[in-house]
Amino acid sequence: MLDNADLGKLIIRLTLGGLLLFHGVSKLLNGIGFIESQLVSHNLPAILAYGVYVGEIIAPLMIILGYQTRIGALIVVFNMIVAIALVHSHQLLSLSSNGGWSLELQGFFLFSALAVIFLGPGRYKLKN
């Protein structure tokens, strides 16, 4: 018999990890020049931009697979806080043209990852 809580955790993990992984693959294919320029504009070393691969490829895979899930989710939380601080801080209290919060996507990634930290991976995961 399926446990609804474990199935719900799996759905959250697959959604969060899967959607974020698309962003990481895009950066693999198109580069991270934008992130490097944002870091430099904030007087930070451009090499830190490579951390986006950890936050948008490795961490989502950890979450999807249920391997060290809470650590992967913590990495995503950190990644999203950095992204909001570097690029989106001016949008924190603004609405988009369709009436939604301008940071809906970033908020989804941040708060879903936070939920995964507290919920854990559930039963459907790789054995640690």
Side-chain angles (χ1 to χ4, degrees):
M1 183 164 161
L2 288 176
D3 180 2
N4 288 338
D6 286 320
L7 186 57
K9 291 173 186 179
L10 176 64
I11 292 168
I12 290 171
R13 285 189 8 242
L14 294 177
T15 303
L16 169 62
L19 292 176
L20 189 53
L21 189 59
F22 281 113
H23 290 264
V25 169
S26 174
K27 288 176 180 72
L28 270 177
L29 297 174
N30 301 310
I32 55 173
F34 174 75
I35 298 166
E36 289 173 323
S37 67
Q38 287 297 312
L39 288 163
V40 169
S41 74
H42 287 83
N43 297 317
L44 295 167
I47 195 156
L48 293 177
Y50 288 94
V52 78
Y53 294 127
V54 175
E56 293 186 8
I57 294 175
I58 295 172
L61 288 172
M62 292 168 71
I63 293 168
I64 289 168
L65 297 172
Y67 177 77
Q68 299 294 321
T69 307
R70 287 186 163 112
I71 294 171
L74 183 62
I75 293 168
V76 171
V77 167
F78 179 76
N79 191 63
M80 293 317 303
I81 289 170
V82 171
I84 291 168
L86 285 179
V87 182
H88 303 286
S89 60
H90 66 284
Q91 297 173 299
L92 275 174
L93 301 176
S94 65
L95 299 176
S96 66
S97 60
N98 65 2
W101 184 34
S102 294
L103 298 182
E104 285 176 352
L105 183 62
Q106 294 81 4
F108 167 79
F109 289 144
L110 173 65
F111 294 115
S112 295
L114 195 58
V116 169
I117 290 171
F118 288 107
L119 291 171
R123 184 171 31 166
Y124 308 113
K125 63 178 182 168
L126 286 181
K127 299 289 183 204
N128 291 344

